[in-house]
């Protein structure tokens, strides 16, 4: 069996879909479905079990798993409950790491580009302790992911026991189907698509930095299908371990993202720019761009979808259809 934590969430449910599509029905999801309709992310899937996180330690006793894909976390960058975030994102991850080590199960886990903070130290996925200790995450979520990266890297540096394969994935700005339960943490495209479709004005932030035009704040946007391909490649390549950026390696602007949506619908753009709230101006990231050299050097050659092609696929296959779920 394969265990996918966070399997009812955005990236997790897309991973589960890909596993089912490849012929694997022996998939167990560890997640909470809640009451916000997250179950719809799994409505088309075949599963062995859905295990609440609190019951997972007992469920794991005596089990043998082909691999653990650990994507479950509190992923809100605005989260403020430090105890809950650390218990969920760090201590739960440590228990899974120990179980995978003891039971010789590969562990593929979600880190985050949020570990890079304001980007002052660059976006190089150097897994050495020296490099990792220089990073300064800007929020509680990023710090919780950084703590786990440090713990895994520390064990690797000391020659301590680890799972037969371990891979931490620093996801950049992932977008795609099944993100609809995420509220304000959805991609801008998903949040604004109905406005785009209806011809209503779409608001983007003005720039408050010299030399950067309004709407030209840039992110490394990556389509969820590309993320899934990296994960399934790792499952099929057990000799590869390490910490890897998962982005396209090419930063694109929010303006370009929205213009691609208008182009996908064949409609005229209607964008205006508004002042960025004062409370976030000091911590707002104007640029993120992954370095994906290590992923390529490890042997990954699956490529990445261009922004325009990804938006066209997302709009045509999901957002502009009655059933938006994968």
């Amino acid at each position: 069996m394969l265990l996918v934590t966070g399997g009812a969430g955005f990236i997790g449910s897309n991973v589960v879909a890909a596993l089912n599509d490849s012929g694997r029905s022996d998939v167990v999801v560890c997640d909470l479905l809640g009451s916000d309709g997250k179950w719809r992310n799994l409505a088309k899937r075949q599963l062995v079990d859905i295990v609440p996180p609190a019951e997972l330690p007992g469920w794991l006793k005596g089990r043998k798993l082909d691999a653990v894909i650990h994507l479950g976390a509190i992923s809100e960058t605005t989260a403020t409950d430090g105890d809950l975030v650390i218990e969920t994102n760090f201590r739960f991850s440590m228990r899974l790491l120990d179980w995978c080590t003891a039971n010789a199960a590969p562990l593929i886990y979600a880190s985050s580009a949020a570990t890079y903070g304001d980007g002052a130290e660059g976006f190089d996925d150097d897994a050495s302790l020296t490099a990792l200790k220089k990073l300064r995450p800007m929020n509680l979520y990023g710090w919780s992911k950084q703590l786990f990266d440090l713990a895994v890297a520390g064990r690797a540096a000391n020659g301590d026991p680890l799972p037969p394969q371990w891979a931490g994935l620093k996801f950049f700005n992932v977008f795609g189907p099944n993100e609809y339960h995420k509220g304000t943490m959805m991609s801008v495209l998903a949040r604004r698509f109905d406005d785009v479709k209806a011809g209503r004005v779409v608001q983007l932030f003005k720039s408050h930095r010299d030399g950067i035009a309004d709407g030209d704040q840039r992110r490394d946007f990556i389509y969820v299908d590309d993320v899934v391909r990296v994960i399934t490649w790792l499952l099929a390549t057990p000799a590869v371990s390490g910490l890897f950026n998962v982005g396209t390696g090419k930063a694109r602007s929010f303006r370009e993202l929205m213009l691609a949506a208008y182009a996908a619908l064949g409609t005229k753009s209607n964008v205006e720019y508004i002042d960025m709230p004062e409370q976030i101006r000091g911590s707002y990231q104007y640029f993120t761009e992954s370095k994906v050299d290590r992923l390529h050097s490890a042997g990954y050659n699956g490529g990445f979808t261009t922004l325009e092609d990804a938006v066209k696929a997302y709009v045509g296959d999901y957002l502009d259809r009655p059933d938006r779920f994968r």
Side-chain angles (χ1 to χ4, degrees), residues 117-129:
D118 64 3
E121 295 295 329
F123 301 96
D124 187 354
D125 49 358
D126 185 342
S128 70
L129 285 174

Side-chain angles (χ1 to χ4, degrees), residues 1-5 28 30 56 59-60 64-72 92-93 96-97 99-101 103-110 163 165-167 231 235:
M1 290 188 293
L2 285 165
L3 173 66
V4 183
T5 74
V28 177
C30 174
L56 187 63
W59 185 91
L60 283 171
K64 288 293 182 183
L65 297 174
D66 290 342
V68 173
I69 305 167
H70 178 36
L71 305 173
F92 185 88
S93 299
L96 267 182
L97 175 65
W99 186 91
C100 288
T101 301
N103 291 274
L107 174 65
I108 299 168
Y109 74 89
Q165 178 189 26
W166 63 271
I231 292 172
L235 284 173

Side-chain angles (χ1 to χ4, degrees), residues 36-50:
D36 59 0
K38 197 162 68 169
W39 68 272
R40 295 186 184 278
N41 288 345
L42 293 174
K44 302 171 186 176
R45 308 277 70 89
Q46 183 176 0
L47 304 168
V48 173
D49 202 353
I50 301 176

Side-chain angles (χ1 to χ4, degrees), residues 154-173:
R155 292 190 184 188
N158 294 331
D160 294 335
L162 280 168
Q165 178 189 26
W166 63 271
L169 306 180
K170 293 198 173 196
F171 298 134
F172 277 68
N173 284 66

